[in-house]
Amino acid sequence: FGFKGCQKIRGPQLRNLLEAKDFFLFDCDGVIWHGEKAITGAAKVVSSLIRQGKNVVFVTNNSTRPRENYVHKFDRLGFTDVMLEQIFSSSYCSALYLRDVVKVCGQVFVIGCEGLRTELQEAGIPCVEEVDDPDATIYDCALAPDVKAVLVGHDDKLTFLKLAKASCYLRDPDCVFLATDNDPWHPLSSGRILPGSGSLIAALEVASGRKATVIGKPSRFMFECISSQFRGVDPAQCLMVGDRLETDMLFGSNCGIDTMLTLTGVSQIEEAEKYQNSELTTNQSLVPDYVVDTIADFLPAFEE
Ligand code: PLP
Ligand code: CA
């Protein structure tokens, strides 16, 4: 395909690229959907790739739902052929990390949504039960004696008490400090934003003087989960399609995978070009190999 870096790709070149790759990794929000609304044409793209016998997986930093929930969401939004095995969320991969890498024996203190706990339960990982006493404070609440890991993800019911407890558990150097993802913020369709897990993790990193191990993109771990479940994935055969340079493009680079930025989400092409023109060589890992306006640009390539 000739030169690389921020290449706007369409027509026969795009068709050649799609034919050359046999494993497609799609980020979800900003690529496949915006919140509860599918990106126009995305369902057709996914079903066409699957029909052509390509492997398709979804790699999302959103830790708030268990995988079953994603299967239902895909179905609801018109992606009727997506199966559980194709979904790699930061909650699912965090559960795998705690089970298979940390091999945690003891409890996990979770800051996160119910979906994250569900995912941990399914992997057989015991979590500290949160008792909902609105008047409890760190001065008088009980701390569990056997907490071996603190896992922090997006939590729409975050309280000061949860941060305080997590800070106390992290005083123990043997207590593992994990983050589902380090996303700074998320766009809402209304033009407002949500602070992401990254902002909560920053608070706990300051309080503990420690650095969290990040499971989600751009860390390689999610690709390790994918490779162990799809035997013999060759990075050269993969394409990572995402909308955020600092997570998706860096993830692809970290995994030795070609990357494609789609302009339906967070990052603009100007930001990619800025990284490309930057003197800092580390910034080159944030530059996509290819750029499309939307994944619906794939559709003509599926026509005879
Ligand atoms: N985490 C939360 C809580 C979100 O709301 C979102 C996007 O909406 C994400 C993470 C990012 O998800 P993705 O990696 O699919 O873009
Ligand atoms: Ca995204």
Side-chain angles (χ1 to χ4, degrees):
F1 310 104
F3 62 95
K4 282 198 161 186
C6 262
Q7 185 193 353
K8 199 81 187 266
I9 189 170
R10 51 200 289 269
Q13 279 182 310
L14 180 53
R15 181 190 291 253
N16 288 343
L17 176 68
L18 298 180
E19 273 172 14
K21 299 292 183 188
D22 65 18
F23 207 108
F24 292 80
L25 297 86
F26 288 102
D27 163 67
C28 292
D29 203 71
V31 173
I32 296 293
W33 54 57
H34 290 132
E36 276 300 311
K37 202 173 162 293
I39 302 269
T40 308
K44 195 146 182 237
V45 167
V46 169
S47 63
S48 303
L49 288 169
I50 294 173
R51 213 168 336 106
Q52 290 185 353
K54 308 282 190 185
N55 280 303
V56 175
V57 295
F58 301 92
V59 192
T60 178
N61 271 1
N62 193 326
S63 66
T64 62
R65 300 160 188 262
R67 288 195 303 165
E68 297 82 32
N69 223 309
Y70 278 107
V71 176
H72 294 139
K73 176 166 181 177
F74 273 107
D75 195 54
R76 190 164 71 238
L77 298 190
F79 301 79
T80 49
D81 38 16
V82 174
M83 295 187 301
L84 194 73
E85 294 71 28
Q86 290 167 282
I87 296 162
F88 292 85
S89 64
S90 60
S91 44
Y92 173 59
C93 295
S94 296
L96 295 180
Y97 189 87
L98 283 163
R99 191 189 68 191
D100 302 336
V101 181
V102 177
K103 300 189 168 72
V104 70
C105 50
Q107 297 195 86
V108 178
F109 182 74
V110 179
I111 292 185
C113 294
E114 224 18 72
L116 178 56
R117 288 167 180 279
T118 308
E119 209 61 90
L120 296 183
Q121 269 151 23
E122 284 180 14
I125 293 157
C127 305
V128 178
E129 268 316 314
E130 275 303 289
V131 266
D132 265 342
D133 177 0
D135 297 324
T137 72
I138 195 68
Y139 299 103
D140 53 26
C141 72
L143 290 177
D146 57 342
V147 171
K148 297 290 186 255
V150 167
L151 172 63
V152 187
H154 185 84
D155 189 339
D156 54 5
K157 298 201 172 63
L158 179 73
T159 62
F160 185 78
L161 182 58
K162 288 192 203 177
L163 288 175
K165 285 182 179 174
S167 308
C168 293
Y169 291 127
L170 290 171
R171 302 280 290 186
D172 174 0
D174 294 330
C175 178
V176 176
F177 184 11
L178 289 185
T180 58
D181 65 279
N182 207 16
D183 288 4
W185 55 273
H186 304 289
L188 298 178
S189 48
S190 60
R192 297 182 178 181
I193 67 161
L194 284 181
S197 313
S199 57
L200 311 192
I201 290 143
L204 288 172
E205 286 186 340
V206 172
S208 66
R210 299 176 54 177
K211 277 272 170 216
T213 299
V214 177
I215 300 299
K217 301 168 288 184
S219 146
R220 279 183 47 88
F221 185 70
M222 289 180 102
F223 188 65
E224 285 168 23
C225 295
I226 295 166
S227 331
S228 73
Q229 290 178 35
F230 292 77
R231 296 268 159 71
V233 184
D234 175 7
Q237 293 297 312
C238 296
L239 183 68
M240 171 69 207
V241 186
D243 72 310
R244 198 172 213 154
L245 303 170
E246 295 80 3
T247 51
D248 304 317
M249 302 303 109
L250 185 55
F251 172 70
S253 302
N254 287 343
C255 303
I257 295 174
D258 280 354
T259 54
M260 178 183 277
L261 176 70
T262 167
L263 299 173
T264 46
V266 170
S267 298
Q268 305 301 307
I269 195 161
E270 290 76 15
E271 300 165 52
E273 287 165 349
K274 215 154 121 197
Y275 283 131
Q276 190 181 28
N277 296 327
S278 135
E279 312 253 292
L280 265 177
T281 49
T282 49
N283 278 343
Q284 297 310 310
S285 318
L286 300 161
V287 180
D289 295 302
Y290 307 101
V291 181
V292 292
D293 287 323
T294 154
I295 60 167
D297 291 356
F298 291 12
L299 290 174
F302 303 130
E303 284 157 18
E304 282 311 309

